Amino acid sequence: MAMPVMQDDDVLLTFKEAMNYLRVSRSTLYRLMWSGQLTGHKVGSTWRFYRGDLRACVGRETPTPVAKLQAKLQSRLSAQNNQNQSATTAHNS
């Protein structure tokens, strides 16, 4: 019986190989993982990455920290405006 042929994307890369493949620092690779942009697989005590997963995270648009902050601020302002309107309506009643 013939052995299945492994696809290039089936090969697991080490953490260092993933850093080199993406040309990013260790901290950037961790940030991609923790933000959910990159899927890593823990094998024993080390991380491994499929090349296809590395390719998939390249070019993904994610909100920048500034955009996240602006969205949070807008949400708080909106909530505050709603509270002020409710208080004004209750006061005028």
Side-chain angles (χ1 to χ4, degrees), residues 22-48:
L22 293 177
R23 296 181 180 183
V24 297
S25 67
R26 175 176 291 277
S27 60
T28 297
L29 193 57
Y30 274 119
R31 191 171 37 251
L32 289 169
M33 289 170 45
W34 302 146
S35 70
Q37 297 175 64
L38 174 63
T39 303
H41 305 277
K42 193 82 177 214
V43 179
S45 62
T46 61
W47 286 99
R48 296 288 190 260

Side-chain angles (χ1 to χ4, degrees), residues 3 8 13 20 23-25 30-31 33 40-41 44 52 64-66 71 75 79 85:
M3 290 192 53
D8 192 34
L13 301 178
N20 291 334
R23 296 181 180 183
V24 297
S25 67
Y30 274 119
R31 191 171 37 251
M33 289 170 45
H41 305 277
T64 63
V66 171
S75 175
Q85 287 176 348

Side-chain angles (χ1 to χ4, degrees), residues 50-91:
Y50 285 108
R51 190 173 277 133
D53 290 339
L54 295 171
R55 259 194 234 110
C57 86
V58 175
R60 275 194 193 143
E61 286 195 30
T62 57
T64 63
V66 171
K68 287 180 183 178
L69 184 58
Q70 286 174 331
K72 186 183 276 188
L73 195 62
Q74 185 62 40
S75 175
R76 285 184 181 173
L77 287 172
S78 179
Q80 191 174 22
N81 285 339
N82 288 341
Q83 285 178 343
N84 289 343
Q85 287 176 348
S86 296
T88 302
T89 304
H91 180 70

